[in-house]
Amino acid sequence: MAQQKVEIQVEDHEGYRVLRPTGDLDVYTVGSLRDALGKMIEDDSPKVVVDLDGVPFMDSSGLGALMGGVRRMREAGGDLAVACTREQHLKLFTITGFGEGVSIAPTTEEAAKGFTE
Amino acid sequence: MRLSLRYKIVGGFGLLLALIGLLGWVTLSLFASLRSVQTEVFDEAVPGLVVADGIVRSYTAQSAAVRGYLINPRPELLEQYESETETSARLERRARPLLSSPSEQALMADLIRAGRAFHEVVDEEVLPRAAAGDRTLAFSFLGEQGDDAISTIETLGAQLRTAQAQVMSDSETELSRRSTQTLITLSLVTVGALSIGVVLAIVLPRRLVSDLGRLVDATRAIGRGDLDQRVDIRSGDEVEELARRFGDMQAGLKRLQQLALQDRELEIAASIQRNLLQRELPKTPGVRLVPLQRQANLVGGDWYDVEADGDSLTVVVGDASGKGIGAALLATVALSVLRAERGQGAGPRRIIERANEALRDVIDPDSFTTLIYAQVDSATGEARWLNMGHPPPFLLRSEASPGKPRGLYLEGPRNRVLGWFEDPGLEETVARLTRGDRLVLYTDGFLEAKSPDGETFGEHRFAEALMRLCALEPSAIEEELVREVERFAAGKLDDDLTMLIVEFQGASVRESVTTPRGEEPWHSKR
């Protein structure tokens, strides 16, 4: 099956960027998010907040892309935080333990405050 | 604008038809021209000549008849004179329209005038004198005036013949000239038409045949298994379109070839995975184990493992993130480490630590594994497990008791997924099962099944279905649950479904729960 795409908007903020994916994040679409995160590192902009308000569904592939993103951003001297109010995703973060050690907050501004230095 | 092959062929034939039409027109017009010269000769010059001769002959005959009458006055000679007079008059009338040139018409007018002069001499001088018996004087008039008129008539007749002969000579020359011209024109037009026809007949089909020949060569190459031969045709017609579609077909065949190769590789991977996964469950008196696995693809990330050692039964249900080959490889790594460490006598905590290290070392940063590593004492019903980022087990009680729900999620202390954290946590949950209790272990494929509206099946529907189906045999519960999930997702399940029901059949033991933290580990999600 050809890789499907999820629309991702990129916003520049003071000291970090916000990625806003729109659509389901699953095994078929997660490549777009992975590519976008890779580009942040290429652009030497490794501090990123991923806003999940436009993502109604996320499976383990989507969570895997976020976890891989955290690891890569930290290796590049930055960090990845998550802005999310969707209960379903927050539940997934709790079950898997992703929420521990990664900044997760309802708004992008609050999430950005939790970047590890 | 694209020139289609149809228009090219129609255009070619049209041009050919136009050339044939032109050839026909030229031929007809040239023959018409020849015909006009022929008409000039046969319809005007020759009859003109004949009539002029006839007139002169008639006057000569009239003169001879009158002369004979003067010598021997027989009435039939006079009748012959009158008859020839009518003949000359008739021929003179016929001659007018036959003579087209003004000089010939002037000669004919002079000839008619001379003829009238001759008739005046004969009718008014000669014949009255002859009738009066004075033949000598009549002869004298005929010799003096009549012979002059006849002589003039003969001279004019000769001039007319000469003129007509000239007309015929000119016409012959003209006929010859036009014939030659016709031959040359017809030859040139024929050669031109043939040349253009040959060009059309050779060049157009040659290009078409050459392009089609290249396509045929490429088709033969496909027959030999060579899918890389490119056919670049820029003819601007259906053949170019055909070549483009042929290229698409080549690309499609190549993709199919690659897919077939991938399918073969997938089958190999699936075979390896089938061999690795639990095939036969160990006999465990006191505990009944009923597994179910439904894979979304040939290979997947879900797995389970069971081992019995005396009264101790180890049950593991795992789920590697992602799907397909990547998830299957991840599952293989986890399962291999698990079995290897257990074979060396390591305890659950050590096994989990080693699995985490192995997964962190081997896998890409986007992948992780969740699992529940449970041990059940088949004699006492004590169950202990490490939940590594996995959905919590569900307990279906053997029978309803007042104040307690029939089924509930067993939310013990949480640990984190394997393959990502340096320290995923190793806190254990402990529960006591009573006779008939069923511990349901499962993967997130049930919870994350998505309806066409985008809604997930979720924990609430899952718990409700389990409790509704609890009177059934474990295998029936599993099958019915899978059917419900498939119905919910309208048959489109993207994730694997794995479930393992552990039914405790041993002695009834009082339910009690302890955790290292001393917290209540069983929470109802309802």
Side-chain angles (χ1 to χ4, degrees), chain B residues 42-74:
Chain B
F42 290 102
D43 293 358
E44 293 173 16
V46 174
L49 202 60
V50 170
V51 169
D53 254 357
I55 292 170
V56 172
R57 206 171 50 244
S58 176
Y59 277 111
T60 307
Q62 287 172 38
S63 171
V66 171
R67 206 176 290 275
Y69 181 76
L70 289 182
I71 294 167
N72 184 9
R74 285 184 294 155

Side-chain angles (χ1 to χ4, degrees), chain B residues 36-249:
Chain B
S36 74
V37 176
Q38 191 194 25
T39 305
E40 213 170 287
V41 172
F42 290 102
D43 293 358
E44 293 173 16
V46 174
L49 202 60
V50 170
V51 169
D53 254 357
I55 292 170
V56 172
R57 206 171 50 244
S58 176
Y59 277 111
T60 307
Q62 287 172 38
S63 171
V66 171
R67 206 176 290 275
Y69 181 76
L70 289 182
I71 294 167
N72 184 9
R74 285 184 294 155
E76 57 263 33
L77 289 172
L78 206 55
E79 284 169 11
Q80 188 185 353
Y81 166 71
E82 284 166 358
S83 163
E84 284 295 335
T85 301
E86 282 172 16
T87 302
S88 66
R90 194 177 72 245
L91 288 173
E92 279 167 9
R93 283 196 299 276
R94 272 182 62 190
R96 283 178 198 279
L98 291 174
L99 301 172
S100 53
S101 74
S103 60
E104 288 172 344
Q105 286 172 352
L107 281 172
M108 181 52 72
D110 288 348
L111 193 146
I112 290 169
R113 262 197 303 278
R116 281 181 189 153
F118 174 73
H119 286 148
E120 278 173 15
V121 170
V122 171
D123 294 340
E124 290 171 17
E125 302 293 346
V126 176
L127 289 181
R129 278 181 176 79
D134 194 354
R135 292 186 184 177
T136 307
L137 193 58
F139 256 120
S140 174
F141 265 100
L142 185 66
E144 284 171 13
Q145 293 173 23
D147 285 356
D148 282 351
I150 292 297
S151 176
T152 303
I153 285 168
E154 283 174 349
T155 305
L156 288 168
Q159 283 176 355
L160 265 175
R161 276 200 301 277
T162 306
Q164 289 302 93
Q166 185 60 44
V167 167
M168 279 183 70
S169 170
D170 290 350
S171 295
E172 277 175 19
T173 309
E174 178 67 12
L175 198 62
S176 171
R177 191 182 66 78
R178 288 199 191 182
S179 295
T180 309
Q181 195 185 20
T182 302
L183 276 176
I184 292 170
T185 310
L186 276 178
S187 302
L188 284 176
V189 171
T190 306
V191 168
L194 278 175
S195 305
I196 294 173
V198 165
V199 168
L200 286 173
I202 292 176
V203 174
L204 266 183
R206 199 158 127 194
R207 188 164 170 190
L208 180 66
V209 169
S210 150
D211 289 345
L212 287 175
R214 288 166 62 199
L215 274 170
V216 169
D217 288 345
T219 314
R220 287 190 180 131
I222 286 182
R224 293 191 303 270
D226 174 10
L227 295 172
D228 292 319
Q229 202 169 102
R230 306 303 306 163
V231 187
D232 189 22
I233 292 174
R234 297 261 182 271
S235 57
D237 55 25
E238 285 89 344
V239 181
E240 182 182 329
E241 181 72 14
L242 188 63
R244 223 184 352 256
R245 296 285 164 247
F246 185 82
D248 293 347
M249 189 190 76

